[in-house]
Amino acid sequence: MLERLDKVEKRYEELTRLMADPAVAQDYERVALCAKKQADIEEIVTAYRAYKDTAEELEETRTLLTDDVDPELRELAEAEVASLQARLDELEARLQQLLLPKDPRDAKDVIVEIRAGAGGDEAGLFAADLYRMYTRYAERQGWKTELLSAHSTGIGGFKEVIFDVKGQGAFSRFKFESGVHRVQRVPITESSGRIHTSTATVAVLPEVDEVEVHVDIKDLEIEAYGSSGPGGQHMQKNATAVRIIHKPTGMIAACESERSQTQNKLRALAVLRARLYEQERQKQEAKVAKTRRAQVGTGERSEKIRTYNFPQNRVTDHRTGLTLHRLPDVLDGDLDPFINELNVQEQAERMQAMGEAR
């Protein structure tokens, strides 16, 4: 590990020298590229330098632990050695995590698709709850969200809602939300007070550009239609909404959030590219299904990643076993406890995989 860290530090120093070179400084694109590469490894280098400083300080302090040293000074030195050793162990663990291969999608913006599953109107209302939860979470992170398309149930719920999230590292956090979410509560329409169980499916797709996924215009069927979204009569009259059908796969992407047909077309294409990218990724990883439905399942109640239980004020993540008894906070966007736990679990699995590969 230390050998790898030495190479990373040397690369960091080399990039610093390059950016200080007058010949390089005149090439703004090259400087920007060097700065990005340096920023990508800066956290590792900072932690490694702290590790080396702590190791050096530890060795110096250990030299005080001789037989002829004053007992009081020896006691202080032993306490300092214990503290420095603990710090060194923490830094080593941190460096091991930082050296793990990163998911290249983590820095990307995301497209989130929420669909009502089992449970009728109650499932649609739950889909609306999840939409609000995710937009509130994005706000807490300082990220921007924009509604791309929505099909409402007419009672405040959604059959389907698709939106994007733009912000540094959005995918690294949202990726853990893919799957079936289950709610247990008494519906407003239930007169007997019986608890109903409903579901909604969530798919999180990284946004990709044209370079990563090329879509041939000949493979597309593009339709314009009157929007039912924001904009009212103006949008309806001018048929600004766009629906794109990808003929080779049958995938359909639509957007009606913009007043401009051109903007809606661009956004629908972004959704389509994200879906095609995810489909290809799943094929490469030899997953059983070829479409994004493999990511979220069928929406049956048994396929769940998280349960939101209203009577018990409880939210349970079934992948980590973490349970919190503060459901209103979670639905208001307080998702970090779950996502942090899942992130730690993912890192542990990666470390185990690296160990087995050696």
Side-chain angles (χ1 to χ4, degrees):
M1 183 180 80
L2 296 180
E3 211 172 292
R4 286 179 65 192
L5 289 166
D6 276 332
K7 289 180 180 178
V8 172
E9 185 179 33
K10 285 176 183 174
R11 177 59 176 156
Y12 184 88
E13 291 167 350
E14 179 188 354
L15 289 166
T16 301
R17 285 194 297 271
L18 274 173
M19 287 189 290
D21 187 331
V24 175
Q26 294 176 4
D27 187 340
Y28 297 115
E29 287 187 8
R30 193 176 176 190
V31 169
L33 181 61
C34 287
K36 184 182 182 306
K37 288 180 178 179
Q38 192 180 59
D40 289 341
I41 59 175
E42 186 169 13
E43 190 176 3
I44 296 175
V45 172
T46 300
Y48 180 44
R49 287 173 176 173
Y51 176 87
K52 289 194 296 183
D53 290 343
T54 304
E56 185 178 339
E57 191 176 350
L58 178 60
E59 285 305 308
E60 290 175 357
T61 307
R62 277 178 173 156
T63 61
L64 300 174
L65 299 177
T66 58
D67 292 335
D68 58 345
V69 74
D70 179 78
E72 188 175 340
L73 182 59
R74 182 183 180 84
E75 186 178 343
L76 289 171
E78 286 175 345
E80 183 67 11
V81 164
S83 175
L84 288 168
Q85 185 62 59
R87 172 67 176 151
L88 198 66
D89 293 342
E90 286 176 9
L91 286 166
E92 184 175 357
R94 177 64 181 147
L95 285 166
Q96 286 177 343
Q97 288 182 353
L98 290 171
L99 286 173
L100 289 174
K102 291 185 178 179
D103 187 333
R105 302 170 297 164
D106 278 352
K108 292 183 178 293
D109 298 333
V110 298
I111 293 170
V112 183
E113 304 180 343
I114 304 172
R115 292 179 177 83
D121 286 342
E122 177 63 16
L125 291 170
F126 180 47
D129 290 337
L130 291 178
Y131 172 60
R132 181 183 181 278
M133 179 180 77
Y134 290 133
T135 54
R136 291 286 295 117
Y137 178 69
E139 285 174 18
R140 288 168 179 249
Q141 305 300 315
W143 299 333
K144 293 182 179 178
T145 63
E146 186 162 357
L147 182 67
L148 298 180
S149 69
H151 295 90
S152 67
T153 61
I155 58 170
F158 289 116
K159 293 177 185 176
E160 174 190 271
V161 56
I162 302 174
F163 62 101
D164 65 13
V165 183
K166 296 190 180 295
Q168 181 63 33
F171 186 79
S172 70
R173 308 295 287 175
F174 267 91
K175 65 182 177 182
F176 298 110
E177 296 305 302
S178 291
V180 177
H181 296 245
R182 182 176 71 169
V183 63
Q184 295 172 323
R185 63 184 172 190
V186 179
I188 300 172
T189 55
E190 177 60 58
S191 57
S192 64
R194 269 191 320 124
I195 296 173
H196 283 226
T197 298
S198 307
T199 65
T201 63
V202 176
V204 177
L205 310 173
E207 279 205 41
V208 293
D209 56 34
E210 293 179 44
V211 175
E212 293 171 285
V213 177
H214 174 69
V215 179
D216 194 331
I217 194 70
K218 295 176 184 177
D219 292 334
L220 304 179
E221 183 178 323
I222 303 174
E223 303 172 354
Y225 62 97
S227 172
S228 59
Q233 293 179 350
H234 171 81
M235 297 182 77
Q236 189 72 29
K237 181 179 178 182
N238 290 285
T240 54
V242 171
R243 181 185 296 110
I244 299 177
I245 302 169
H246 186 247
K247 289 182 280 189
T249 62
M251 282 188 184
I252 300 173
C255 183
E256 55 184 45
S257 63
E258 302 290 336
R259 285 181 175 271
S260 160
Q261 188 180 118
T262 301
Q263 287 298 314
N264 280 327
K265 179 182 174 182
L266 291 172
R267 290 188 174 280
L269 277 170
V271 173
L272 180 63
R273 279 197 300 269
R275 291 176 182 171
L276 290 171
Y277 175 90
E278 181 66 9
Q279 185 186 68
E280 187 59 32
R281 186 188 69 83
Q282 290 183 2
K283 283 181 182 178
Q284 291 172 358
E285 293 185 1
K287 292 191 176 180
V288 289
K290 296 180 180 180
T291 69
R292 58 185 166 72
R293 284 194 296 275
Q295 186 188 58
V296 300
T298 63
E300 291 300 316
R301 293 178 179 89
S302 58
E303 301 174 347
K304 59 187 184 294
I305 63 167
R306 194 176 296 146
T307 294
Y308 306 74
N309 185 297
F310 276 68
Q312 298 177 16
N313 187 34
R314 169 175 59 83
V315 184
T316 298
D317 194 291
H318 303 287
R319 296 160 293 181
T320 62
L322 176 63
T323 294
L324 298 179
H325 287 87
R326 43 189 181 89
L327 186 146
D329 292 339
V330 174
L331 289 178
D332 196 44
D334 186 11
L335 291 172
D336 275 337
F338 295 109
I339 293 174
N340 290 342
E341 197 78 14
L342 288 160
N343 193 40
V344 169
Q345 179 176 287
E346 181 186 61
Q347 289 179 343
E349 288 170 356
R350 285 186 184 178
M351 290 179 75
Q352 183 179 351
M354 282 185 68
E356 290 172 355
R358 283 171 183 169

